[in-house]
């Protein structure tokens, strides 16, 4: 097994990886920016190295500084966490060029799935249904034909987009041209690539994704689905496993398709295939080639530690489990707690004056904050994840509601109360909610 791993990330996910390493008896090196000297991931790792100033471009995204830190500390491997460099194909290549193992898929697969147009083509080849799209946007007649066939509204998306950014919905013909130009400019600015495409806008779908885990020997497991339909600005807020509306047959069918496609291109590591689900049909959207924020709900229900498995397969171990040995028990729900104004969603950095974390049977809190810690304005506003586990949805829901009530975070604004409201909403309780839940939520 690896002896020492550098974690090229911060916050709760850096802690999550450090903890998995400790269980595997692997030493850890964390990196930090000047703003993060007091951060928990610095305190918890065996060693920590400052890689630059607060600006993430100059620290957590600073590839030469990270490689230097890995060299000085003599690690065997680098774990990218999520966000930052986790889906940067060039980073994965550079890591391996310097004889460190990149804990993630091969660079070629990061590149292939990073381009959503390419990814969709790969899915079509494998008979996975996709959302109808058109990517030849220089040809007006192609756009017109698309609209004639599928009708407005449509959505413009960045081929290399992520984090819910850069999407535009078009409802009127006269907006098409200027919206495409604006989307291109925005995509160039955010993702350094102006490639955009259009998709039919599905009206009221659910977001359902399938977690897979693959080793280098061609073994691929489906670890079930997550329902991530409670979103704000196309970003997930609450996730649950299993989805309250999927039948066993639907789950089995989509899982088998995902395993088959991932096998077909010899993918390795953790991966998530994201779908929209409407009128009992799945439509592939994209594949994420990394550990996801919402991975704990899958861990609770399967009893499998995804981070330890990810490290094991990256080291070259063969998966020990077979698909028929994976058991899905009970129900898990995750709420993402953000430091933000509850109504405007404007980030609310500042010092945590009082802190009390909920607990008890079936409650897990993945967070890196503590009393006296100052949340920096430089990074993502997600500060904690509460995950509940119960023998069924009702029990899981009751536990997470109590945990939200118990959670005390003073000194900054958070969305704790908003989560309570969502979880008490009839549409959430029925399980029938879709991605538009928050637009109609008061
Ligand atoms: P990103 O990579 O930026 O997260 P995704 O392609 O995963 O983008 O989409 C994020 C969310 O945007 C989806 O979960 C869904 O809510 C919404 N979305 C994306 N494509 C469509 C579509 N064709 N119709 C309706 N909603 C969509």
């Amino acid at each position: 097994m690896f002896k020492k791993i550098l974690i090229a990330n911060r916050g709760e996910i850096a802690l999550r990886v450090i903890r998995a390493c400790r269980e595997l008896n692997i030493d850890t090196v964390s990196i930090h920016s000047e703003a993060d000297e007091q951060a928990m991931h610095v305190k918890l790792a065996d060693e920590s190295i400052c890689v630059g100033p607060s600006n993430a471009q100059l620290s957590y995204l600073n590839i030469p500084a990270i490689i230097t830190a890995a060299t000085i500390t003599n690690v065997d491997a680098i774990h990218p966490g999520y966000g930052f460099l986790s889906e940067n194909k060039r980073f994965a290549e550079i890591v391996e060029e310097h004889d460190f193992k990149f804990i993630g898929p091969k660079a070629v697969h990061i590149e292939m799935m990073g381009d959503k147009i390419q990814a969709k083509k790969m899915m079509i080849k494998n008979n996975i249904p996709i959302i109808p799209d058109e990517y030849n946007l220089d040809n007006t007649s192609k756009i017109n034909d698309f609209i004639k066939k599928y009708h407005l509204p449509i959505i413009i998306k960045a081929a290399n987009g992520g984090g819910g950014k850069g999407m535009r919905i078009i409802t009127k013909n006269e907006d098409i041209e200027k919206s495409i130009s604006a989307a291109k400019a925005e995509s160039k600015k955010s993702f350094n690539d102006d490639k955009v495409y259009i998709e039919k806008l599905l009206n009221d779908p659910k977001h359902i994704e399938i977690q897979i885990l693959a080793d280098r020997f061609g073994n691929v497991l489906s670890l079930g689905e997550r329902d991530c339909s409670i979103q704000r600005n196309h970003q997930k807020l609450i996730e649950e496993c299993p989805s309250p509306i999927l039948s066993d047959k639907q789950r089995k069918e989509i899982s088998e398709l995902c395993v088959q496609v991932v096998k077909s291109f010899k993918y390795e590591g953790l991966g998530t295939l994201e779908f929209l689900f409407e009128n009992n049909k799945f439509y592939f959207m994209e594949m994420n080639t990394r550990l996801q924020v919402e991975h704990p709900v899958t861990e609770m229900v399967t009893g499998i530690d995804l981070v330890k498995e990810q490290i094991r397969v990256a080291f070259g171990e063969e998966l020990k489990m077979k698909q028929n040995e994976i058991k899905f028990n009970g129900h898990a729900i995750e709420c993402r707690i953000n430091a933000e104004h509850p109504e405007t969603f404007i980030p609310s950095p500042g010092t945590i004056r009082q802190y009390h974390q909920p607990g008890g049977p079936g409650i897990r809190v993945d967070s890196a904050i503590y009393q006296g810690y100052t949340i920096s304005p430089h990074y993502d506003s997600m500060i904690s994840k509460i995950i509940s586990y119960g023998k069924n949805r009702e029990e899981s829901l009751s536990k997470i509601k109590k945990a939200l009530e118990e959670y005390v975070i003073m000194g900054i604004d958070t969305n704790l109360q908003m989560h309570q409201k969502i979880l008490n909403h009839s549409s959430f309780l029925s399980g029938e909610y879709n991605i538009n839940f928050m637009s109609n939520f008061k």
Side-chain angles (χ1 to χ4, degrees):
M1 183 36 81
F2 299 122
K3 295 218 162 20
K4 208 180 196 185
I5 290 177
L6 179 142
I7 298 123
N9 216 301
R10 65 182 301 283
E12 67 87 20
I13 201 61
L15 257 60
R16 174 71 190 86
V17 179
I18 291 170
R19 287 176 176 140
C21 288
R22 286 187 154 184
E23 280 188 54
L24 293 168
N25 289 319
I26 299 169
D27 290 340
T28 52
V29 177
S30 71
I31 57 163
H32 66 273
S33 66
E34 284 166 7
D36 269 348
E37 258 163 25
Q38 296 305 318
M40 198 53 131
H41 71 286
V42 176
K43 298 179 197 281
L44 221 63
D46 297 307
E47 294 168 68
S48 190
I49 291 207
C50 181
V51 286
S54 50
N55 179 346
Q57 284 296 339
L58 304 173
S59 50
Y60 294 104
L61 294 166
N62 182 344
I63 298 178
I66 295 169
I67 297 293
T68 307
T71 308
I72 294 169
T73 52
N74 198 22
V75 299
D76 308 309
I78 299 184
H79 194 301
Y82 55 65
F84 292 128
L85 296 165
S86 60
E87 288 177 301
N88 182 320
K89 155 224 141 181
R90 192 60 201 124
F91 180 61
E93 278 170 356
I94 292 172
V95 167
E96 302 257 323
E97 281 162 15
H98 286 79
D99 287 334
F100 304 115
K101 182 78 188 90
F102 177 77
I103 302 181
K106 287 182 259 184
V108 54
H109 292 148
I110 298 179
E111 183 176 31
M112 187 163 93
M113 292 299 142
D115 182 333
K116 296 185 188 187
I117 297 173
Q118 286 294 107
K120 289 178 82 176
K121 283 186 182 162
M122 166 65 85
M123 298 302 147
I124 297 169
K125 255 203 260 167
N126 284 275
N127 300 320
I128 299 216
I130 60 157
I131 303 171
D133 61 4
E134 176 57 60
Y135 40 86
N136 188 354
L137 304 187
D138 295 330
N139 187 335
T140 325
S141 68
K142 290 240 178 197
I143 303 177
N144 291 338
D145 290 350
F146 182 84
I147 292 173
K148 243 187 232 141
K149 189 160 173 201
Y150 296 106
H151 312 288
L152 290 173
I154 57 170
I155 182 166
I156 314 177
K157 294 166 81 170
N160 276 289
K165 287 195 206 93
M167 282 180 238
R168 273 157 195 267
I169 292 168
I170 305 182
T171 50
K172 294 194 289 238
N173 271 311
E174 56 267 34
D175 292 344
I176 296 173
E177 225 169 283
K178 68 172 191 296
S179 295
I180 290 177
S181 311
K184 278 187 170 186
E186 204 174 301
S187 174
K188 178 82 192 159
K189 197 165 156 234
S190 301
F191 310 112
N192 197 27
D193 178 10
D194 72 352
K195 208 169 0 151
V196 299
Y197 62 106
I198 53 175
E199 256 180 15
K200 177 174 172 48
L201 182 87
L202 301 190
N203 286 328
D204 293 312
K206 264 183 174 288
H207 173 121
I208 295 183
E209 56 187 35
I210 303 290
Q211 174 72 58
I212 62 97
L213 170 63
D215 67 17
R216 68 176 63 168
F217 304 96
N219 300 303
V220 183
L221 298 172
S222 160
L223 301 179
E225 85 279 10
R226 294 183 285 256
D227 189 326
C228 314
S229 308
I230 303 287
Q231 304 180 349
R232 191 236 314 136
N233 300 337
H234 307 301
Q235 283 172 351
K236 299 160 189 165
L237 267 181
I238 299 180
E239 301 95 349
E240 58 180 325
C241 173
S243 165
I245 54 116
L246 219 57
S247 70
D248 286 344
K249 184 166 173 278
Q250 285 166 327
R251 173 173 302 118
K252 189 163 179 284
E253 277 173 11
I254 194 66
S255 289
E256 283 175 2
L257 272 176
C258 289
V259 167
Q260 187 191 312
V261 66
V262 163
K263 267 191 188 165
S264 80
F265 62 91
K266 299 192 168 54
Y267 184 81
E268 283 173 31
L270 286 175
T272 301
L273 289 95
E274 297 195 330
F275 296 88
L276 290 183
F277 181 75
E278 192 173 60
N279 299 328
N280 286 314
K281 283 202 193 87
F282 281 100
Y283 301 89
F284 173 83
M285 257 189 320
E286 64 162 342
M287 177 170 176
N288 289 326
T289 53
R290 56 171 164 81
L291 180 66
Q292 306 246 133
V293 175
E294 60 273 24
H295 75 276
V297 291
T298 302
E299 295 188 318
M300 304 307 270
V301 168
T302 59
I304 296 171
D305 184 316
L306 291 188
V307 184
K308 285 202 286 185
E309 290 304 324
Q310 185 188 27
I311 294 171
R312 287 193 182 112
V313 297
F315 184 69
E317 283 185 16
E318 187 166 359
L319 285 169
K320 294 202 171 63
M321 303 154 279
K322 298 271 169 291
Q323 187 70 55
N324 60 10
E325 290 165 354
I326 295 170
K327 301 282 176 262
F328 300 93
N329 290 315
H331 195 101
I333 302 173
E334 174 181 276
C335 290
R336 298 188 187 194
I337 311 304
N338 297 333
E340 65 188 17
H341 188 276
E343 270 124 44
T344 60
F345 305 135
I346 292 171
S348 168
T351 301
I352 298 174
R353 299 285 168 210
Q354 257 189 52
Y355 187 70
H356 167 77
Q357 197 168 286
I363 288 298
R364 162 175 169 183
V365 178
D366 281 17
S367 174
I369 58 172
Y370 55 88
Q371 189 158 316
Y373 175 67
T374 300
I375 294 159
S376 158
H378 299 287
Y379 312 110
D380 196 87
S381 59
M382 193 188 77
I383 51 167
S384 180
K385 306 184 310 203
I386 314 184
I387 304 104
S388 69
Y389 176 75
K391 59 182 181 302
N392 50 38
R393 189 171 190 253
E394 200 185 348
E395 189 181 78
S396 186
L397 204 50
S398 138
K399 281 178 191 284
I400 203 156
K401 283 187 199 169
K402 297 284 166 256
L404 286 163
E405 271 172 31
E406 193 185 322
Y407 212 162
V408 177
I409 309 175
M410 305 286 273
I412 54 161
D413 288 329
T414 70
N415 59 359
L416 277 169
Q417 282 185 356
M418 187 190 70
H419 276 293
Q420 280 173 339
K421 270 172 75 182
I422 297 173
L423 297 179
N424 282 309
H425 194 283
S426 59
S427 154
F428 187 84
L429 294 172
S430 74
E432 297 286 335
Y433 61 88
N434 61 52
I435 60 163
N436 299 316
F437 177 92
M438 290 302 288
S439 342
N440 310 315
F441 180 69
K442 300 227 166 35

